Amino acid sequence: MTAPFDLNDDSVVVVIGTGAGGGVVANELAQKGVSVVALEAGGRYLPEDYINDEWESFGQLAWVDPRTTSGDWRVAKDFSGLPAWIVKAVGGTTTHWAGASIRFQDHEWKALTTYGAVEGASLLDWPIDAAEMAPWYDKAEAKLGVTRTGDRAGLPGNNNFKVFEKGAKALGYKEVHTGRMAINSADYDGRMACQQTGFCFQGCKWGAKWSAAYTDIPRGEATGNLEVRERAHVARILHDDAGKVTGVEYFDKDGNLQMQKARIVCVAGNSFESPRLLLNSASSMFPNGLANSSDQVGRNYMRHTTGSVYAVFEKPVRMWRGTTMAGIVQDEARHDPSRGFVGGYELETLALGIPFMAAFLNPGGWGRSFTTALDAYENMAGMWIVGEDMPQATNRVTLSETKDQWGLPVANVNFSDHPNDIAMRNHAYGRGEAIYRAVGATRTFPTPPYPSTHNLGTNRMSEKPEDGVCNKWGQSHDIANLFISDGSQFTTGAAENPTLTIVALAIRQADHIASEMAAGNL
Amino acid sequence: MTTKERKGLTRRALLARSVAAGTLAVIGAGFIAAPNGAWALEVSVISEHEMATLLQMARDIYPHDRIADQYYAVAVKGYDAEDRKAMVAEGVAALDAAAQAAGHADYVSVGWEEDRVKLLQAMEDTPFFQTVRGGLVTGLYNQKEVWPIFGYEGESFSKGGYIDRGFDDINWL
Ligand SMILES: Cc1cc2nc3c(=O)[nH]c(=O)nc-3n(C[C@H](O)[C@H](O)[C@H](O)COP(=O)(O)OP(=O)(O)OC[C@H]3O[C@@H](n4cnc5c(N)ncnc54)[C@H](O)[C@@H]3O)c2cc1C
Ligand code: SF4
């Protein structure tokens, strides 16, 4: 059931983007009786549509509109037009994601206080803390059905995990398990248990993995309070002379420019598109873009310190069988500057199929050093590093000279590693290789970061308006009825995969918006 | 397309007309074919020599000894096109010139892979090399037919995933 709202209906909340942030905020508001129009640039794909084929699925779901890159990160050289691997579809990147769902550690909400000032980094404390977030994490874990939380059992370990677990335990690591995953280990919330098909990145055809596409979105629509308009690309957010936002302009599925009025606008286009939209909405009143009096829109882009370690063994592993991210080592997630860097990292198993392995193992690599690695694919195990990276003011999204199919300037993504990021990555490579050597690896590969899957920080939360774009509710400091609802509101990235936190913040934000609306404050 | 059907028709004629082309392929009129006649690749826009060079180059960039020539042929057959003609002609000429400077007749007649690789390394930053290499990443490795050679099993949904098919069957740990 959809609820067609009129373009001139100025009582609706407009949500831009329907991923982890937007999809959840839209549904939560709809559940509370608030009228919502969600505008999504991509089309709608459901489990029956997903494809167990890496490139074909990429063609179906990925955001491939132009983007440009700069900075000294290797992605700018190897994948200059593809800084991120994220989705353009109803449900956003929750169709692609692997499902790892872990809470921030308490101290990570207070990075500046805990780590102290780090030269070249624009570290800040979040304006919220662990105690305040705990109940919202509880709700988010229940919504996503996260394993090893509540009374939900862990998933069984696949071959890739068993190799990883044995090596990690041999090194003395203690916190080694099959992860806290938004993947059902038993039937839950109307969705079945994981069948270990191994195409989690391509959309789960069983619906065992949580995705907004087939949970929050249809549930919101079922209330009659949520209308999702797909293939609707928002071009600009509009405001009145008082500086309040009044609606948005978007290109509809036929390419016609439409205007939807709004009482409140929530921006949730992921960390490239959200700042791009604010910058593209510049006006005579806000010449630097909306909500940008601080000049922080687009800055402090974070992507986690990542990298992978693959290893070859004498005998087969067949890592592609079963959940893509099948387990975790958490011992290195602590803050322990004696390792030569602040913050910490997680190690999580990861598997790619042959097509993606060829593209990502060593981009640009060729010759026998490369092909003998692939020849041993069947005997390979793999893990991914995800660690806290340092926010830097110069790592930022700006408007590019390049224009997209709508004639709108696209996002340029400038990124360079901070020395802390490099020290952490090198440490993690060493530990990852040691894990595999402990189980007899004959060859290991410290693999460079892929195009970003975690994109954070470009509209960050701050206590003081001059330090960031939004306050502790994700409400922009400058414009009361403009909210940031996605990962771009992250003040710092922590060591954990971000989506559980994005969802917890979205549930909390919807609660706040609904009560402020009821109180007549918004 | 590699055309298996044509082998009976053309093999003898091809072999008769063949010229030396390294270890890889036999060159005939409008075709290059495997020496054992298992497959043949027709060219209409670029020359047989250019296609044979591309094929050898593909093998040298991504050498997999267990992958037959025909899969490399599929990966480079798209270069037999008007809009690629100039780039291919220029690139192959440069490669042959480099081979000649090193005392060989042309690229495909350089006997050892490591010697050919040296020639490729010297042109690694050229658009020609990068185009051919980049195209192979999907052109070669995204052929479903080569996946089993790597042990990769591909699509698994229709078989019910691996829950009952060995997701945790490792037995050597
Ligand atoms: C391969 C992969 C694996 C991952 N695994 C994990 C994991 O295990 N754990 C984890 O925590 N995270 C994981 N992530 C990251 C996770 O998917 C993201 O953090 C999360 O989805 C981000 O939520 P978001 O709301 O910020 O943006 P998204 O979910 O990307 O949603 C943004 C949506 O906005 C739409 N949009 C953008 N601009 C416009 C516009 N102008 N008009 C209309 N619509 C627009 C986009 O089309 C998109 O649908 C993974 C990501 C990838 C790619
Ligand atoms: S491994 Fe499990 S979660 Fe992943 S796609 Fe398959 S069924 Fe879904």
Side-chain angles (χ1 to χ4, degrees), chain B residues 91-111:
Chain B
V92 170
L95 204 47
D96 282 342
Q100 281 150 16
H104 304 278
D106 55 17
Y107 181 76
V108 292
S109 48
V110 178

Side-chain angles (χ1 to χ4, degrees), chain A residues 2-350:
Chain A
T2 52
F5 293 106
D6 196 87
L7 290 171
N8 287 313
D9 186 342
D10 61 6
S11 72
V12 301
V13 174
V14 165
V15 176
I16 302 165
T18 57
V24 170
V25 99
N27 176 35
E28 292 288 321
L29 286 170
Q31 298 297 333
K32 292 174 194 296
V34 176
S35 300
V36 180
V37 173
L39 301 171
E40 169 54 55
R44 195 183 290 241
Y45 306 91
L46 292 170
E48 58 269 29
D49 305 316
Y50 301 147
I51 309 167
N52 270 196
D53 180 300
E54 291 178 318
W55 284 119
E56 227 183 304
S57 170
F58 184 87
Q60 179 186 51
L61 298 172
W63 181 286
V64 291
D65 291 8
R67 283 172 176 144
T68 60
T69 45
S70 55
D72 68 15
W73 57 329
R74 190 166 155 184
V75 168
K77 173 173 168 278
D78 297 324
F79 304 98
S80 61
L82 192 76
W85 170 15
I86 47 181
V87 172
K88 181 181 185 176
V90 173
T93 314
T94 65
T95 50
H96 258 24
W97 79 314
S101 302
I102 39 183
R103 298 185 181 202
F104 278 24
Q105 302 165 80
D106 291 1
H107 68 265
E108 288 173 326
W109 296 101
K110 303 294 165 193
L112 178 59
T113 302
T114 311
Y115 308 156
V118 173
E119 196 185 334
S122 47
L123 278 174
L124 215 56
D125 289 345
W126 285 67
I128 39 183
D129 61 20
E132 187 170 351
M133 285 306 293
W136 303 104
Y137 270 138
D138 290 342
K139 287 185 205 292
E141 285 166 348
K143 177 191 283 286
L144 273 51
V146 179
T147 58
R148 283 199 176 78
T149 71
D151 54 6
R152 290 169 289 269
L155 285 158
N158 66 1
N159 291 335
N160 201 20
F161 173 71
K162 287 182 171 179
V163 173
F164 174 82
E165 179 189 37
K166 181 138 192 226
K169 290 198 166 153
L171 294 191
Y173 284 132
K174 298 281 182 285
E175 286 178 77
V176 187
H177 54 78
T178 57
R180 285 186 277 282
M181 304 296 296
I183 295 179
N184 288 349
S185 53
D187 286 8
Y188 178 78
D189 198 28
R191 292 180 293 111
M192 64 187 287
C194 174
Q195 302 301 300
Q196 303 286 341
T197 51
F199 284 89
C200 308
F201 283 176
Q202 283 67 41
C204 179
K205 289 188 73 67
W206 306 96
K209 179 186 83 176
W210 178 84
S211 165
Y214 43 80
T215 58
D216 282 71
I217 301 287
R219 284 176 192 175
E221 288 173 323
T223 65
N225 300 323
L226 168 62
E227 178 187 352
V228 176
R229 286 183 210 149
E230 57 204 64
R231 301 189 193 280
H233 184 104
V234 178
R236 209 153 71 95
I237 302 169
L238 307 170
H239 65 82
D240 61 17
D241 294 341
K244 285 185 65 181
V245 300
T246 54
V248 303
E249 278 180 348
Y250 67 94
F251 290 96
D252 69 14
K253 60 181 177 356
D254 303 314
N256 298 317
L257 194 63
Q258 305 285 0
M259 202 268 279
Q260 172 67 54
K261 289 193 174 163
R263 173 171 172 182
I264 293 168
V265 171
C266 293
V267 184
N270 206 321
S271 290
F272 296 161
E273 296 309 311
S274 291
R276 173 193 177 206
L277 188 56
L278 296 178
L279 295 172
N280 268 336
S281 302
S283 63
S284 53
M285 189 170 183
F286 299 114
N288 298 326
L290 291 194
N292 198 20
S293 66
S294 61
D295 190 34
Q296 293 294 310
V297 169
R299 292 188 187 273
N300 313 304
Y301 168 56
M302 295 171 286
R303 60 184 308 267
H304 274 136
T305 291
T306 68
S308 308
V309 179
Y310 293 95
V312 169
F313 298 85
E314 289 170 82
K315 298 206 176 121
V317 177
R318 305 194 178 95
M319 66 173 167
W320 64 86
R321 293 185 179 177
T323 44
T324 303
M325 201 160 263
I328 191 165
V329 169
Q330 302 207 267
D331 301 64
E332 299 286 0
R334 69 193 192 279
H335 168 60
D336 170 8
S338 74
R339 291 173 298 179
F341 52 88
V342 301
Y345 60 87
E346 314 271 355
L347 297 172
E348 301 168 346
T349 80
L350 187 83

